[in-house]
Amino acid sequence: MTSSLLLGITTFTYLFATLCFVYIFVFKAYRVYPFAIAVTVLALAIQTAGIGLRWYESYAMDIGHAPLTNMYESVVFFSWSIALIYLLMEWKFKTRILGLFALPFAFLAMAYASFSTGISKEISPLIPALQSNWLIAHVITCFVGYAAFTVAAGLGAMFLLKVSKGGAEKKDGGQFLAAIPAPDLVEDLIYKSMLFGFIWLTAGIITGAVWANSAWGTYWSWDPKETWSLITWFIYAITLHSRYTGGWTGKPLAWLAILGLVSVIFTYYGVNFWLSGLHSYGSG
Amino acid sequence: MKHTNQAWEFFSSVRLAIFTLCSLALTSIIGTVIPQNKPDSWYVDKYGPATAQFFQVLDIPDMYGSWWFLILLGLLCANLIICSIDRFPTTWRLMTSDQLAIHSDRLQGMTLRQEWSLSSPLGESAAQLSTALAKAGWKSASREIETGTLLFAGKGAWSRLGVYVVHLSILIIFIGAIIGSFLGFKGTVMLPEGESTTRIFASDSSEPIDLGFEVLCNSFSIDYYPNGMPKEYASVLTVRENGKDILKKMIEVNKPLTYKGITFYQSSYQAYQNFIVSIVIQPDKTGKIFTIPYQQEMEWPEKNIRFGIVNAEGTGDSVTRIKIWMKHGDLPASTFWVDNGKDASIPSGDKTVAVSAKQMFATGLQVAKDPGVWLVYLGCSLMLIGLYVSFFVSHQRLWLLLRPGKGDAGTGIVLAGGSNKNQTGFARSFAKLADRLRGMQQ
Ligand code: HEM
């Protein structure tokens, strides 16, 4: 048993869980819901074991470090956080259908990590700059934040679908989308996940700054990755205030959740490939 | 004073905040696309003279320090300060006002409201209810009013300050950053092993900066993983003041040394073609350290020893094994290998000569002084606390109005309440509490 095998199985289990939710959505087969949740929990358990085993393997190789230090490991952790946040939300709010909009991201992240040729899955030793507990704190906080924003964007898509022309008003469409809870509830969940994500992103930017200061003596150097994380942070800060002053709830909020995710993805992924900077470790 | 009012309104508006935040977000993109802080000629080569000139006018090569970007940041600060001053009195009133002064009609208008009646007389019911409230975690106060007795219990009034803490934390971070940029510096120095310096060079201008004390690099070393990747860079540094050694410490990446507010970070190194050779003659215990270039002969005349490095093996620019040639007095010369940094004992007549050799390095240090950093960290901590409070702690209020029941006996009860955020969550705990209060009476 190796960690790559477990993480490979995880990928397909997330795919299967997603399909269960598609089935529930299309056939309104709510009986299947407990099964779909069970599959998701199973996927998360296998993934947790995979991450744990990878951690263990790195110690067996005598270069032990938490599995949170390169692109592959961070994408896996991202997927793990999405699934965990999704399950916690489902446990608390019982939307029964959110899985359809959240789990595809967990699956896609794993599929990308497992099958993209551009990502090295090697467990490699850490260069000196990366040997810091602040790095671990930085990666965890950032990715929990990103995962919450991903769930918010999934909910945003769900909201837009629900209130779209084919949605509530039309008879057939209304039938088709009946599985999606009332817009007000979805709206509330979008906003809550954005608040949750905002705190973690803030903590992520701060721990990154502390790390940079302990390694280089500069807590902020406006390198492209830092700047993009700040831009993302601004977008969510704007969202908080536009709700307050412009009453931007509902559709605008849903769109902002999606725009925010686009910015997150660019911060996380785009910057490594199109812009250069200190965070080159992420590109390997 | 109409004009001042308008200006005040403008600067205290959240609209301005949104405008400023949007402007900051959009303009920040520029500096991630156009590389920053290159020499002027680089922009001319890359973008042509006309565009480069345009960039100069707008300070694009250093956009995050440009006049217009600083104006945007200043606008954000002004907005934050004025907005907070504008709104604080209202918030304070909401936190501290006398909640028992509420008109009992207002309770009827609240969405969260339950009514029931008790058989016990008013005074007894009030005592019972306030004990039950206290048991459920709600400390209440009461007052006799015209129509009966009013009980009030509130939680988390202070949480209304959360937003102010968040906004204040941004200002604190800015103040810390400003202090750092005016009173601090960033510099570098390349310090060969065995040498010391009292000055370093500013990162931006390359001007020398006096430290006010002396740092000595005792030694530098690199450790590798089996696959050849560097595992750790480390330097042993000594701080000297007035000729006295004050402090000696090994620094690594992520583990700097700080003295008098100046911090030394391990950041790079340089490998030399020179070697540091130490020779100790046993049993006399006389020894000496030499710095010698590759493949050159060196002499220690007092002891009549001549030696040199004749060969070296290694990976990349770092040496692992060194071949030494040595001649002691009239004895025949010997050549032998030693591992980098290790000893070899060579019998030589009635004595033993212990020789160790090591490749010479210079350690590259990043040197920073930032007297504002603690304010930045304070601001960051406050921001996290403030965000938590403003998102997840709410100001919850409960009122209980007790009126004498119809006729003579019994008490009519109205329970009403509200929360300034998380209404759905509060509605749930309100319903639970109401059940509990009603249940206890049976
Ligand atoms: C990067 C800058 C800023 C950040 C991170 C920030 C953060 C926040 C947060 C977290 C909230 C609470 C939102 C909620 O509870 O849903 C908030 C509310 C608010 N902010 Fe800001 N803010 C910023 C800039 C500003 C500026 C420049 C103003 C100036 C007008 C402003 C005015 C307000 C107001 C009026 C509220 C609502 C307060 C209330 O609920 O009573 N903010 N802000």
Side-chain angles (χ1 to χ4, degrees):
Chain A
M1 188 62 65
T2 64
S3 64
S4 350
L5 179 64
L6 284 177
L7 293 173
I9 296 173
T10 306
T11 312
F12 289 101
T13 318
Y14 279 136
L15 177 61
F16 183 55
T18 307
L19 292 177
C20 290
F21 280 102
V22 173
Y23 184 84
I24 295 174
F25 181 71
V26 173
F27 295 101
K28 311 282 169 296
Y30 299 115
R31 299 168 280 115
V32 183
Y33 170 70
F35 177 74
I37 291 288
V39 173
T40 312
V41 171
L42 180 71
L44 185 67
I46 299 174
Q47 190 173 27
T48 310
I51 293 173
L53 188 57
R54 191 176 165 95
W55 199 338
Y56 173 81
E57 283 166 1
S58 79
Y59 275 92
M61 289 167 70
D62 233 15
I63 48 174
H65 56 79
L68 294 166
T69 52
N70 60 23
M71 186 77 162
Y72 174 76
E73 291 170 342
S74 62
V75 175
V76 171
F77 181 71
F78 175 53
S79 156
W80 184 87
S81 313
I82 293 174
L84 183 67
I85 289 177
Y86 159 68
L87 282 172
L88 290 176
M89 240 169 150
E90 197 61 60
W91 179 52
K92 194 150 180 223
F93 301 105
K94 313 233 166 14
T95 66
R96 295 195 298 184
I97 200 63
L98 172 55
L100 180 61
F101 296 85
L103 289 178
F105 293 105
F107 162 68
L108 283 174
M110 280 310 291
Y112 175 69
S114 310
F115 305 122
S116 164
T117 48
I119 289 190
S120 161
K121 289 200 262 178
E122 211 70 11
I123 299 179
S124 49
L126 291 185
I127 61 165
L130 301 185
Q131 297 164 17
S132 163
N133 288 333
W134 287 109
L135 169 68
I136 305 296
H138 176 55
V139 174
I140 291 178
T141 46
C142 280
F143 282 92
V144 170
Y146 292 171
F149 291 144
T150 306
V151 172
L155 285 159
M158 189 159 126
F159 180 90
L160 291 172
L161 201 61
K162 182 77 176 180
V163 301
S164 65
K165 283 226 174 67
E169 293 128 51
K170 247 199 219 160
K171 244 198 196 157
D172 288 358
Q175 213 49 353
F176 185 62
L177 297 172
I180 299 179
D184 284 356
L185 173 67
V186 180
E187 213 268 351
D188 191 42
L189 292 183
I190 297 175
Y191 190 62
K192 285 202 170 106
S193 355
M194 283 170 109
L195 295 186
F196 183 76
F198 191 70
I199 287 199
W200 286 93
L201 176 63
T202 308
I205 294 176
I206 291 173
T207 48
V210 175
W211 171 39
N213 195 41
S214 73
W216 298 286
T218 314
Y219 51 81
W220 194 263
S221 54
W222 293 105
D223 95 88
K225 194 112 181 168
E226 283 172 357
T227 308
W228 268 99
S229 69
L230 188 67
I231 292 168
T232 305
W233 189 75
F234 281 143
I235 291 176
Y236 288 101
I238 291 165
T239 308
L240 298 180
H241 293 87
S242 69
R243 185 180 176 89
Y244 178 82
T245 180
W248 276 27
T249 53
K251 272 193 192 177
L253 182 76
W255 280 114
L256 280 168
I258 292 169
L259 174 70
L261 182 65
V262 171
S263 183
V264 164
I265 292 173
F266 193 81
T267 306
Y268 174 25
Y269 184 81
V271 172
N272 292 338
F273 291 87
W274 288 306
L275 308 169
S276 60
L278 278 178
H279 283 72
S280 47
Y281 86 91
S283 61
Chain B
M1 289 271 103
K2 188 127 192 250
H3 286 291
T4 43
N5 268 345
Q6 270 176 354
W8 182 265
E9 239 163 65
F10 175 74
F11 279 107
S12 67
S13 69
V14 184
R15 256 168 240 281
L16 178 64
I18 292 181
F19 167 78
T20 316
L21 291 173
C22 286
S23 309
L24 284 169
L26 288 172
T27 56
S28 291
I29 298 174
I30 299 171
T32 67
V33 178
I34 299 169
Q36 297 287 294
N37 296 311
K38 303 270 182 207
D40 292 350
S41 58
W42 188 91
Y43 296 96
V44 177
D45 289 348
K46 182 101 193 261
Y47 299 101
T51 316
Q53 175 114 47
F54 175 70
F55 281 3
Q56 288 303 336
V57 174
L58 287 181
D59 240 346
I60 299 289
D62 181 24
M63 72 148 277
Y64 302 108
S66 69
W67 55 271
W68 55 268
F69 197 75
L70 295 179
I71 286 178
L72 280 177
L73 291 176
L75 193 60
L76 184 74
C77 292
N79 191 195
L80 275 170
I81 295 170
I82 294 174
C83 176
S84 300
I85 294 176
D86 190 56
R87 302 169 54 86
F88 191 73
T90 315
T91 307
W92 189 250
R93 221 173 305 124
L94 279 169
M95 290 169 56
T96 56
S97 64
D98 177 12
Q99 308 284 354
L100 286 166
I102 193 169
H103 197 280
S104 51
D105 289 350
R106 287 264 311 276
L107 302 186
Q108 303 296 339
M110 294 187 182
T111 30
L112 290 179
R113 196 183 70 246
Q114 294 210 17
E115 298 187 26
W116 70 97
S117 56
L118 286 175
S119 48
S120 48
L122 200 149
E124 200 177 305
S125 306
Q128 269 182 348
L129 283 169
S130 98
T131 331
L133 272 178
K135 255 198 205 143
W138 295 85
K139 250 186 77 160
S140 59
S142 75
R143 181 176 300 165
E144 306 301 323
I145 58 170
E146 263 174 60
T147 45
T149 301
L150 188 63
L151 294 182
F152 171 78
K155 269 186 190 172
W158 55 274
S159 72
R160 290 187 185 266
L161 295 178
V163 166
Y164 293 88
V165 172
V166 175
H167 292 154
L168 180 71
S169 72
I170 295 170
L171 296 173
I172 293 176
I173 292 171
F174 279 144
I175 294 171
I178 291 168
I179 289 177
S181 77
F182 281 104
L183 302 179
F185 59 73
K186 304 255 183 290
T188 56
V189 66
M190 189 59 84
L191 200 54
E193 286 176 298
E195 288 187 25
S196 69
T197 184
T198 56
R199 50 166 49 175
I200 55 129
F201 300 92
S203 304
D204 47 4
S205 60
S206 304
E207 295 285 318
I209 299 171
D210 269 314
L211 294 172
F213 53 86
E214 189 181 351
V215 272
L216 164 77
C217 172
N218 297 81
S219 65
F220 173 85
S221 59
I222 316 179
D223 202 5
Y224 293 91
Y225 290 107
N227 73 355
M229 270 174 67
K231 182 175 183 178
E232 197 54 86
Y233 308 115
S235 305
V236 177
L237 300 183
T238 302
V239 173
R240 279 187 186 153
E241 218 167 359
N242 308 322
K244 265 193 296 191
D245 288 3
I246 306 274
L247 185 70
K248 186 169 177 181
K249 187 182 170 190
M250 177 150 103
I251 66 164
E252 292 174 3
V253 184
N254 281 310
K255 286 181 199 131
L257 168 140
T258 303
Y259 182 67
K260 290 204 166 161
I262 301 178
T263 308
F264 297 83
Y265 300 85
Q266 180 70 61
S267 85
S268 62
Y269 69 94
Q270 199 178 322
Y272 287 112
Q273 288 264 330
N274 292 0
F275 292 82
I276 297 172
V277 176
S278 122
I279 300 180
V280 180
I281 299 177
Q282 302 289 13
D284 330 6
K285 290 210 173 142
T286 44
K288 195 167 174 185
I289 295 173
F290 304 83
T291 304
I292 72 167
Y294 187 47
Q295 293 183 338
Q296 278 187 30
E297 195 179 308
M298 188 83 170
E299 196 168 5
W300 185 7
E302 295 84 9
K303 299 287 168 191
N304 204 6
I305 290 180
R306 285 180 300 145
F307 62 96
I309 308 286
V310 291
N311 199 356
E313 282 179 1
T315 47
D317 56 5
S318 81
V319 168
T320 50
R321 235 157 62 103
I322 298 163
K323 192 173 188 183
I324 300 172
W325 169 90
M326 186 176 72
K327 187 161 167 54
H328 186 195
D330 299 330
L331 300 161
S334 57
T335 53
F336 50 91
W337 286 96
V338 288
D339 285 343
N340 188 44
K342 295 276 155 45
D343 271 304
S345 288
I346 310 298
S348 188
D350 55 345
K351 319 235 157 161
T352 307
V353 184
V355 184
S356 81
K358 161 181 184 311
Q359 182 187 15
M360 182 166 160
F361 286 96
T363 182
L365 302 175
Q366 196 104 26
V367 187
K369 176 175 164 183
D370 190 344
V373 74
W374 68 273
L375 270 174
V376 173
Y377 286 176
L378 174 72
C380 289
S381 316
L382 285 176
M383 180 179 289
L384 287 174
I385 296 169
L387 283 176
Y388 178 81
V389 170
S390 59
F391 290 163
F392 300 122
V393 184
S394 46
H395 184 192
Q396 306 178 335
R397 293 179 291 177
L398 281 180
W399 289 270
L400 268 168
L401 176 63
L402 290 77
R403 286 175 295 199
K406 294 224 172 71
D408 45 348
T411 317
I413 297 169
V414 181
L415 171 69
S419 163
N420 67 336
K421 49 198 137 177
N422 191 18
Q423 269 84 3
T424 39
F426 183 68
R428 240 175 292 142
S429 38
F430 181 87
K432 251 192 224 148
L433 182 74
D435 283 352
R436 214 165 143 175
L437 293 181
R438 298 172 88 148
M440 116 215 149
Q441 308 299 330
Q442 304 312 317

